[in-house]
Each structure stands twice: as C-alpha cells, then as structure tokens.
Amino acid sequence: MNSSADTFIRAELISFARDPGDGNTPEPGSLEHYGDGLLWLKGQHIHAVGHFAELSSSLPKGADVVDYRDKLIMPGFIDTHVHYVQLDIMASYGRQLLDWLNDYTFPEECRFANHAHAEALSNAFLDEMLRAGTTTAQVFGSSHPGSVDAFFTACQKRQLRMLVGKVLMDRNAPEALLDGASGIAESERLIEDWHGNGRLGYSVTPRFAPTSTKTQMDAAGALLRNDPSLWLQTHLAENSGELDWVAELFPGSRDYLAVYEEAGLVGPRSTFAHGIHLDNGMRKRLADRGANIAFCPSSNLFLGSGLFDREAAKQTGMAYTFASDIGAGTDLSGFGTLKAAYQVGQLGGQPLTAWQGFYGLTMGNAKALSLDSHIGQLAPTLEADFVVIDTQATSLLSRRINHCTTLGERLFALMMLADDRAIYETWAGGICQHRRGKA
C-alpha cells in the first residue's frame, strides 16, 4: 500500500472527544456522531472526519469511496493490561490467583526461553487481538528478554502502536524464570533498542511486589526517573491472599501501595492491574500521582478475586481503564470486557452505561496511557487506528439492533451481544490489518 495514499470510507462514525459523564445521555460536546459520515485518511493518519454531505465536495475528482453505510466505525479498541505469554492457558480450570500462577502461569512462561516459541505466540496473539478489534495494548512479556524482542519485532512489522515490557522477578518463582542481577540490565537494553522506535513504547514491568526484591524495585524506579517517557505496569491488590503475602514480605511498609511508592513506581504513566482491595486513602494517593488502575472484570470474575468499585474510583478521582488480563481473562474482545464490566457493576449497584464503556475502551484508555495525542479518537492528525463494526453480524445481534430506536440502545446492545464476529475490519496505521473471513 502507498504510505501517502488517500483512502475514503463512508460509514456511520462514532468517537468521543472527552468523558461523556455517567448520565443516560452523553454530556454536550463529548460525543462525535455522524450518521452518514466520511473518514478521510492520508497514509497512516486521519486527514478529515465529518458529515459525508459536507465533505464530499472536497474530495478529489474521481475519488474511490469505500461504501460502508451499513457499518459503524469507532476508534480502535485499547487494552491496558494483557499477558501475551498466557494466550495458551486461557480457560484453565479452577484456581485463584496464587495457585493460578504456580500451576499454570509459571510453567507456561518457562516455554518463552525458546525464541521460536516466542515468535509464534507473538504472531498468534496479534492475529487474535486484531480479530477482536484491539489496535493497541499494554502487554506483559515473560522474564526472558527474547520474549519482548519477538513481540516488538512482530508489532513493528505490522506498524502497530504497542507498549510492552519484560517481566522483572528475582524471587518467589521457579528458578528458570528468575532474572536475578541481569533483569535491570536486560530491561535497559530493550529500552535502548525499542522504546520510541516507530510506534513502540516500553513499559517497565515488575510482575508484582512478592516476586521482586526491594533492590530490584528500587532499580526499576531508577529507570523511570532516568527516562520519564517510559511507562510502568504491574499488579496491585488483586486478591486477599496476595495482600497478606505482601504484608509479610514488606512489614515496614504501611500498605501494599506504599511498597511501590517507596520504590518510585507510582506516577502519571503507571498502570496497576486490578486494584480491587484498596481503601479510599490508597485510591486518593493513586489519584494524586496520576496513576490508573486497569479494571479487568472477566479476569476478576474468573479467578474469584472480587468486584472492582468504579464509584469509589470516581469519588476519589482515581483513574481507571478497561483491560482483558488474558490469560486469566476470558475474552480478548473489548465487547466481552465491557459486558463483564457491566455485570460487575450491576452486582455493586453501579451499572456501566454504553457511553462510559465505549469512551473508556477508546479515548479514556488512550488518555490514561498518555497516548491521546496519537490514538483514541476519530480526529484529524491522529493515527488511523479504527474498527469497522458490522451490527448485523449475527442473527441475534441483528434482531436486537433492528429493534432499537436510539443510538444509546444500539451501543448498549453491541456492548452486551457483540463479539469478534462483529469486527468486520481492523485498521492500524492506515492499513487494513484484519478483514473478517480473510487470513
């Protein structure tokens, strides 16, 4: 494909410029909706967005317009917390967090010492992710630096915007996975090779406090201080047994979050997965530092970890994002994540609106990751990452959509009934990376 070529797509367009609020209708100025819209691409970027009737006169003579008037286009979905190295242990039966790690996760991650295996899984994971409509993710590798080299290489070939990191862990795991004194040096090499290379970014990745010594976490904090453009990803307060373990390992710290604060790991580019068992003081400290919690509803339900409290996050000003947490999560699809988030919310008396769901999956996640100047919205100058959604993809979805009378109803039906079959195309970097039914 010519990297500077113009592409014109006529379709219904939906995008969010800012948080739509929690009401039954989006706050004025937050939703951008074109029932008959035109998305005009120039190479890897969006050139213009608007009503087809208003933009059509500006098109070059003889322009070839792709007619998707029976489709809906949104910005590409963003997943803020996912383990590509756990793809093959999805749907492994019957364990809570710490048993899950020992029985399934650690043995599986040992396989990534083999570079050919890491290459194969990188491409398989990206195929699945794009099929689900996800164009950007913040991804855990294994503790092997080759797992990150393989994943970054696969992402670069597809010109994807991705954040990835090598897991740091130097204790409380199988010997084959411990990185000891070499973990930080390996991370520094990966940062040098990949961070800021094309659309790639590096996330410093201590697995979680129990598997890193204080020395390793302090060194991870030094990486962030030396380069504020880096990201940080780890886990926090997922499971009650985990909290007890952290208290035993770090008796001098006031709470779990303080372990990370003392190492300098809490900042505006920090994502902490789960954050279920927090008090409001911890939530406020996260808010004050600009960090976000990755809400992983299908994983939290699958492992029986607990119910994330979105209302407490809102009241304390703590940012949260939406994530799949594969492989404990049960669905790579953003639709599946939002469906589970709605169900978790219902159990806590705080149901998720479709406006909040799709804002969060796109612009909200982009903003929390400091990527909103690049992705998350259908807007001129931003990168052309978007999904083409077929609202008639299944007979049941079609029946429900055709029964809806408002946009809000249609979006909620999508959130609850759609899956990867509704993703007709996934575009990233101005290139159609996936088309339903095509290899």
Side-chain angles (χ1 to χ4, degrees), residues 309-326:
D309 191 337
R310 288 188 300 106
E311 185 60 28
K314 177 185 174 184
Q315 293 300 324
T316 55
M318 184 188 76
Y320 65 89
T321 54
F322 293 95
S324 69
D325 190 32
I326 299 305

Side-chain angles (χ1 to χ4, degrees), residues 9-12 35-37 52 66-72:
I9 305 176
R10 185 178 184 179
E12 183 178 9
D36 181 9
F52 181 81
V66 178
D67 190 346
Y68 282 166
R69 275 178 284 180
D70 59 342
K71 306 290 193 299
L72 168 65

Side-chain angles (χ1 to χ4, degrees), residues 46-62:
I46 297 171
H47 175 66
V49 180
H51 295 288
F52 181 81
E54 295 176 1
L55 287 178
S56 57
S57 61
S58 302
L59 299 183
K61 187 176 181 180

Side-chain angles (χ1 to χ4, degrees), residues 314-359:
K314 177 185 174 184
Q315 293 300 324
T316 55
M318 184 188 76
Y320 65 89
T321 54
F322 293 95
S324 69
D325 190 32
I326 299 305
T330 56
D331 208 323
L332 271 166
S333 168
F335 297 126
T337 295
L338 296 186
K339 177 180 179 179
Y342 173 81
Q343 294 166 332
V344 166
Q346 278 286 61
L347 290 170
Q350 41 188 261
L352 180 73
T353 68
W355 311 116
Q356 273 292 324
F358 285 111
Y359 162 76

Side-chain angles (χ1 to χ4, degrees), residues 77 131-133 331 333-336 389-390 393-394 397 413-424 436:
F77 300 155
R131 189 167 61 83
D331 208 323
S333 168
F335 297 126
I389 298 169
D390 179 5
T394 68
L397 178 61
L414 271 179
M415 193 167 92
M416 301 307 293
L417 296 177
D419 55 29
D420 58 279
R421 291 171 293 179
I423 303 298
Y424 183 71
R436 189 178 63 199

Side-chain angles (χ1 to χ4, degrees), residues 58 75 105 155 183 199 204 235 256 272 279 433:
S58 302
T105 301
C155 293
R199 299 214 291 160
V204 178
H235 299 83
Y256 194 164
F272 296 92
D279 60 33
Q433 306 260 4

